Every structure is written in C-alpha cells, then in structure tokens.
C-alpha cells in the first residue's frame, strides 16, 4: 500500500503538467478540437470516432488484464504449472474477429471522408479559387479569377467554398489552418496539391506551416480573415485601387529604389516578395509581429512600430528570411513605416 502511494505521488506532478498543457488546446482560432467549418468538423468527427473506439478497447483490455493478474496470481506454496491454453480456437477467433469489426467501423467513414474531402472545386464558379504559394518563410495568396494577389493574410468570404491549389517556391512546406481544415503539403518539383474548406462565420483564424522548412519554420504564421460577402467584394475592389506614392520626394525615391524593386503596392512595384497592398490593415507584420491596432490581439506594437522593428532588423524577427537589412537612415525607416502603416483598405 505504502509503495503504491509513492508511485502515485511521483505521477501527480506529471499529471498536473499534462492537464495544464492540454488546457491550452481548444482555442477557437487555432485548434482542430474546436472546428469552425464543415471540413474541420468532418475531420474532428473521425478523430472522435477513432479515439472513442481506442479508449473503449484500452479500458476493456486493462480491466481484463487487471482481473487476470489478481485472480490467477501465484499463491504462496503453489509450485504447479498452470493449464496451458495456446491454440484455443474459440479465443483466437474472438480476438481476430473483434479487431476486424473495429477496423471496418473506423475504415468505412474514413475512406468515405478521404474521397469526399478530395472533391474538386477548381472549376466551380461558386467557389473562390485561391493559389497558395509557400515561400521560406511567408505565404503568397493569389485569387486568379479576381486578379488580386496578397501575402500573409488570406481574406475569404464566410459560408463559401474556398478552393485551394497549393505549391511551393522552394522547399517542402505544409499549408494548415487548424480550425478550418487539415493540412496540405506543398511539394517541390512543380506539383500542385488541391484542397477545399469553408468557414461558417466571420473571424480571424491562425494558419501555420506544418512541415519543418528551415530555421524560421515555427514563425511561418499567416492569418485567415473571414468576412461577410459584401466586405469581401469591397476588399477585392479596394485591392485594385491605384495607390499614391509618399508625397515627400526623398521618401518616394527611397521606396522606389529599396522596396518596390522586390515588393508590389497596388499597381506599383515588382511582384517577387510579399505584396504590401493594404498592409496597414493587416493583423500582423511579417506574419509574426501582431499589431495592437487590431482588436483581436494585443501584445506587441502598432502596425507602424512593428513595421519599424521589421525593417530595421528582419533577421532578428525571422532568422533566415530573405528580406535584407536595407541601408536606410532611422528617419527614412520611420517615414517608410509611417507610409506603409497608412496603406489601409476600406472593406
Ligand atoms: Cu514552411
């Protein structure tokens, strides 16, 4: 008795730690355990079915094992050899047939979902088509039928099928929005993987890269912003509006020479690295520095402060990023951050 209590006492902190760890699960914007759309719900349903069956099996096996260990333990003085029951036909049939039945129960809905969720919506006129391109360490989102390209923040209408074709520009990544749908890999070698999902209601959901892709893999976050259909249409229109360069000639020149040689803003610049159109209305800078101007989050700085932090030393925020430390004075950085923070979209 004493011994058992010792073991339990040692296990208690471990159990407490696990409870604490697991209590962080279930954030509605980040968890497969709180599905926010039909695809995620279907996948969660499979998880629940599988886990329920596994728990029942484990419980029954443990109860039988416990019973047998206690009931048939060797008594003091007993030197006899127990009855040997190998090759018992009845038992072998029972423990072969039960797992087969359980596998069929798990298998039918799983196979059904695997084929159902592979449905091709790429030609569906009612779906929003999105080409996702993964880069070390950012995400490019192109809306081929709407003529819009953006980065780091995927804006989608609620209650609409979103049809995704995903590829990579460099190494293997994996596109994942835990609360909306399971992962899809982006494979090198030019192949394109397809998936679809739907968000039931408006909100901001967190997206992740789910495949180790380099030193800043864990910082390769993006946001999925679900808005109502009218807002989505306004956003598409706003993305296409011409954008004015900074009034200050010096800053306009710096922007042209240092920023727009890689980035695009509206109709200006080059589309090599993240498109900056409307960056002032995004939830984050570099996908990682969360803007406090956005009501959903509050821990870092305003868009403008985060832009300064990012431009001053991108490597400090995201080690391995291709964004170089540009040769700018502090005043120039401040002015450019201010200009970019002012690039807001009404939608
Ligand atoms: Cu990645």
């Amino acid at each position: 008795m004493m011994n058992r209590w010792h073991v339990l006492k040692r296990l208690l902190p471990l159990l407490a730690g696990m409870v604490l760890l697991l209590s962080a699960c279930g954030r509605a914007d980040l968890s497969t355990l709180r599905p926010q759309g039909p695809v995620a719900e279907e996948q969660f349903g499979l998880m629940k079915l599988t886990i329920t069956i596994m728990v029942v099996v484990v419980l029954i096996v443990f109860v039988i094992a416990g019973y047998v260990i206690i009931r048939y333990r060797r008594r003091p003085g007993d030197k006899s050899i127990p009855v040997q029951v190998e090759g018992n036909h009845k038992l072998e049939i029972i423990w072969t047939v039960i797992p087969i039945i359980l596998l069929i129960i798990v298998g039918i809905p799983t196979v059904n979902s695997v084929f159902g969720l592979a449905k091709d919506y790429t030609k569906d006129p009612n779906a929003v088509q999105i080409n996702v391109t993964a880069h070390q360490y950012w995400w490019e989102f192109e809306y081929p039928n709407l003529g819009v390209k953006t980065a780091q923040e995927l804006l989608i209408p609620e209650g609409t099928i979103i049809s995704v074709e995903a590829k990579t520009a460099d190494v293997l990544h994996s596109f994942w929005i835990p609360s909306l749908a399971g992962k899809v890999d982006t494979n090198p070698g030019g192949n394109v993987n397809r998936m679809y999902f739907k968000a039931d209601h408006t909100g901001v959901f967190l997206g992740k890269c789910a495949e180790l892709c380099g030193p800043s893999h864990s910082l390769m976050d993006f946001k999925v912003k679900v808005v109502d259909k009218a807002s989505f249409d306004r956003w598409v229109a706003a993305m296409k509006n011409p954008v004015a360069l900074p009034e200050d000639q010096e800053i306009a020149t710096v922007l042209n020479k240092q920023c727009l040689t890689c980035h695009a803003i509206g109709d200006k610049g080059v589309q090599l690295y993240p498109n900056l159109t409307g960056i002032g209305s995004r939830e984050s800078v570099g996908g990682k520095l969360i803007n406090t101007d956005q009501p959903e989050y509050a821990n870092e700085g305003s868009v403008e402060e985060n832009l300064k932090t990012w431009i001053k030393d991108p490597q400090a925020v995201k080690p391995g990023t291709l964004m170089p430390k540009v040769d700018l004075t502090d005043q120039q950085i401040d002015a450019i951050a201010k200009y970019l923070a002012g690039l807001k979209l009404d939608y």
Side-chain angles (χ1 to χ4, degrees), residues 173 209 211 213 217 220:
H173 301 270
C209 176
E211 193 70 64
C213 58
H217 156 68
M220 203 171 146

Side-chain angles (χ1 to χ4, degrees), residues 134-137 139 171-174 209-214 217 220:
H135 299 254
Q136 282 175 314
Y137 302 97
W139 296 90
V171 300
L172 177 63
H173 301 270
S174 186
C209 176
E211 193 70 64
L212 183 59
C213 58
H217 156 68
M220 203 171 146

Side-chain angles (χ1 to χ4, degrees), residues 259-272:
C259 310
L260 297 184
T261 43
C262 283
H263 296 279
I265 300 174
D267 49 341
K268 299 181 176 63
V270 180
Q271 196 81 248
L272 281 176

Side-chain angles (χ1 to χ4, degrees), residues 218-236:
S218 66
L219 308 176
M220 203 171 146
D221 288 3
F222 62 98
K223 297 281 187 302
V224 179
K225 207 175 198 173
V226 185
V227 297
D228 59 71
K229 285 181 181 143
S231 298
F232 180 73
D233 293 340
R234 283 196 293 274
W235 176 80
V236 172

